[in-house]
Short mmCIF file of all heavy atoms in Angstrom, two decimals:
data_model
loop_
_atom_site.label_atom_id
_atom_site.label_comp_id
_atom_site.label_asym_id
_atom_site.label_seq_id
_atom_site.Cartn_x
_atom_site.Cartn_y
_atom_site.Cartn_z
N SER A 101 -3.06 -41.53 65.16
CA SER A 101 -3.80 -42.49 66.07
C SER A 101 -4.53 -41.74 67.20
O SER A 101 -5.29 -42.29 67.96
CB SER A 101 -2.72 -43.41 66.81
OG SER A 101 -1.81 -42.63 67.53
N SER A 102 -4.40 -40.36 67.32
CA SER A 102 -5.09 -39.69 68.30
C SER A 102 -6.13 -38.75 67.76
O SER A 102 -6.13 -38.52 66.48
CB SER A 102 -4.18 -38.72 69.06
OG SER A 102 -3.54 -37.67 68.35
N MET A 103 -7.23 -38.34 68.54
CA MET A 103 -8.08 -37.42 68.08
C MET A 103 -8.45 -36.46 69.29
O MET A 103 -8.55 -36.91 70.41
CB MET A 103 -9.35 -38.20 67.68
CG MET A 103 -10.50 -37.27 67.24
SD MET A 103 -11.92 -38.19 66.42
CE MET A 103 -12.16 -39.66 67.44
N SER A 104 -8.62 -35.23 68.90
CA SER A 104 -9.07 -34.23 70.03
C SER A 104 -10.48 -33.63 69.74
O SER A 104 -10.83 -33.49 68.55
CB SER A 104 -7.96 -33.09 70.18
OG SER A 104 -6.84 -33.55 70.46
N PHE A 105 -11.18 -33.47 70.80
CA PHE A 105 -12.47 -32.88 70.77
C PHE A 105 -12.47 -31.55 71.56
O PHE A 105 -11.73 -31.41 72.51
CB PHE A 105 -13.56 -33.80 71.55
CG PHE A 105 -13.68 -35.09 70.82
CD1 PHE A 105 -12.95 -36.22 71.44
CD2 PHE A 105 -14.55 -35.33 69.86
CE1 PHE A 105 -13.19 -37.45 71.01
CE2 PHE A 105 -14.75 -36.58 69.29
CZ PHE A 105 -14.02 -37.67 69.86
N GLU A 106 -13.28 -30.62 71.06
CA GLU A 106 -13.47 -29.41 71.89
C GLU A 106 -14.99 -29.53 72.34
O GLU A 106 -15.82 -30.09 71.63
CB GLU A 106 -13.39 -28.16 71.03
CG GLU A 106 -11.94 -27.75 70.62
CD GLU A 106 -11.89 -26.58 69.79
OE1 GLU A 106 -12.92 -25.95 69.31
OE2 GLU A 106 -10.77 -26.27 69.40
N PHE A 107 -15.27 -29.07 73.49
CA PHE A 107 -16.63 -29.11 74.08
C PHE A 107 -17.00 -27.82 74.67
O PHE A 107 -16.08 -27.06 75.08
CB PHE A 107 -16.75 -30.25 74.99
CG PHE A 107 -15.94 -30.27 76.28
CD1 PHE A 107 -16.35 -29.53 77.38
CD2 PHE A 107 -14.73 -30.90 76.37
CE1 PHE A 107 -15.60 -29.44 78.45
CE2 PHE A 107 -14.00 -30.87 77.52
CZ PHE A 107 -14.39 -30.11 78.64
N ARG A 108 -18.25 -27.59 74.79
CA ARG A 108 -18.89 -26.43 75.34
C ARG A 108 -20.10 -26.86 76.04
O ARG A 108 -20.92 -27.60 75.50
CB ARG A 108 -19.12 -25.41 74.23
CG ARG A 108 -19.99 -24.13 74.62
CD ARG A 108 -20.27 -23.39 73.37
NE ARG A 108 -21.36 -22.48 73.69
CZ ARG A 108 -21.43 -21.25 73.52
NH1 ARG A 108 -20.41 -20.68 72.82
NH2 ARG A 108 -22.51 -20.50 73.74
N VAL A 109 -20.32 -26.36 77.23
CA VAL A 109 -21.57 -26.61 78.02
C VAL A 109 -22.12 -25.27 78.35
O VAL A 109 -21.51 -24.35 78.76
CB VAL A 109 -21.16 -27.30 79.33
CG1 VAL A 109 -22.51 -27.54 80.25
CG2 VAL A 109 -20.43 -28.69 79.13
N ASP A 110 -23.43 -25.19 77.93
CA ASP A 110 -24.10 -23.80 78.17
C ASP A 110 -25.48 -24.03 78.63
O ASP A 110 -26.00 -25.16 78.47
CB ASP A 110 -23.96 -22.94 77.06
CG ASP A 110 -24.71 -23.48 75.75
OD1 ASP A 110 -25.96 -23.58 75.83
OD2 ASP A 110 -24.10 -23.79 74.78
N SER A 111 -26.04 -23.03 79.16
CA SER A 111 -27.46 -23.09 79.68
C SER A 111 -28.01 -21.73 79.36
O SER A 111 -27.50 -20.78 79.74
CB SER A 111 -27.43 -23.24 81.28
OG SER A 111 -28.76 -23.24 81.66
N ASP A 112 -28.99 -21.76 78.60
CA ASP A 112 -29.76 -20.55 78.06
C ASP A 112 -28.77 -19.51 77.44
O ASP A 112 -28.83 -18.37 77.79
CB ASP A 112 -30.54 -19.84 79.23
CG ASP A 112 -31.75 -20.83 79.66
OD1 ASP A 112 -32.28 -21.53 78.81
OD2 ASP A 112 -32.03 -20.74 80.87
N GLY A 113 -27.82 -20.03 76.62
CA GLY A 113 -26.89 -19.18 76.00
C GLY A 113 -25.73 -18.76 76.85
O GLY A 113 -24.83 -18.01 76.35
N THR A 114 -25.69 -18.96 78.11
CA THR A 114 -24.49 -18.69 78.99
C THR A 114 -23.55 -19.88 79.06
O THR A 114 -23.90 -20.98 79.42
CB THR A 114 -25.14 -18.31 80.43
OG1 THR A 114 -26.00 -17.30 80.33
CG2 THR A 114 -23.84 -17.95 81.32
N VAL A 115 -22.24 -19.71 78.73
CA VAL A 115 -21.29 -20.71 78.69
C VAL A 115 -20.88 -21.01 80.15
O VAL A 115 -20.52 -20.15 80.79
CB VAL A 115 -20.16 -20.35 77.84
CG1 VAL A 115 -19.05 -21.42 77.92
CG2 VAL A 115 -20.53 -20.06 76.46
N ALA A 116 -20.98 -22.22 80.58
CA ALA A 116 -20.72 -22.66 81.93
C ALA A 116 -19.34 -23.31 81.93
O ALA A 116 -18.56 -23.25 82.92
CB ALA A 116 -21.74 -23.63 82.43
N ALA A 117 -18.89 -24.00 80.85
CA ALA A 117 -17.67 -24.70 80.82
C ALA A 117 -17.21 -25.03 79.37
O ALA A 117 -18.08 -25.21 78.57
CB ALA A 117 -17.70 -26.07 81.53
N THR A 118 -15.94 -24.90 79.11
CA THR A 118 -15.42 -25.20 77.83
C THR A 118 -14.09 -26.15 78.02
O THR A 118 -13.52 -25.99 79.10
CB THR A 118 -14.88 -24.00 76.99
OG1 THR A 118 -14.06 -23.18 77.76
CG2 THR A 118 -16.18 -23.25 76.64
N GLY A 119 -13.76 -26.78 77.04
CA GLY A 119 -12.50 -27.60 77.23
C GLY A 119 -12.14 -28.45 76.00
O GLY A 119 -12.77 -28.36 74.96
N THR A 120 -11.24 -29.32 76.24
CA THR A 120 -10.82 -30.36 75.27
C THR A 120 -10.72 -31.67 75.86
O THR A 120 -10.36 -31.80 77.16
CB THR A 120 -9.42 -29.86 74.60
OG1 THR A 120 -8.47 -29.87 75.71
CG2 THR A 120 -9.54 -28.55 74.03
N LEU A 121 -10.78 -32.77 75.00
CA LEU A 121 -10.67 -34.13 75.44
C LEU A 121 -9.89 -34.71 74.31
O LEU A 121 -10.28 -34.54 73.12
CB LEU A 121 -11.96 -34.79 75.60
CG LEU A 121 -11.95 -36.31 75.80
CD1 LEU A 121 -11.33 -36.68 77.10
CD2 LEU A 121 -13.31 -36.96 75.68
N THR A 122 -8.81 -35.47 74.60
CA THR A 122 -8.02 -36.10 73.61
C THR A 122 -7.97 -37.63 73.93
O THR A 122 -7.79 -38.01 75.06
CB THR A 122 -6.64 -35.66 73.55
OG1 THR A 122 -6.51 -34.27 73.30
CG2 THR A 122 -5.69 -36.31 72.51
N VAL A 123 -8.31 -38.42 72.89
CA VAL A 123 -8.17 -39.82 72.95
C VAL A 123 -7.18 -40.42 71.96
O VAL A 123 -6.85 -39.77 71.03
CB VAL A 123 -9.61 -40.54 72.67
CG1 VAL A 123 -10.63 -39.97 73.60
CG2 VAL A 123 -10.01 -40.20 71.26
N VAL A 124 -6.81 -41.74 72.21
CA VAL A 124 -5.84 -42.30 71.29
C VAL A 124 -6.34 -43.74 70.91
O VAL A 124 -6.80 -44.44 71.74
CB VAL A 124 -4.31 -42.38 71.93
CG1 VAL A 124 -4.30 -43.24 73.15
CG2 VAL A 124 -3.46 -42.75 70.84
#
Side-chain angles (χ1 to χ4, degrees):
S101 62
S102 66
M103 178 168 45
S104 295
F105 299 96
E106 291 180 353
F107 62 85
R108 171 185 159 132
V109 177
D110 64 69
S111 179
D112 294 327
T114 300
V115 177
T118 57
T120 60
L121 172 68
T122 302
V123 300
V124 65

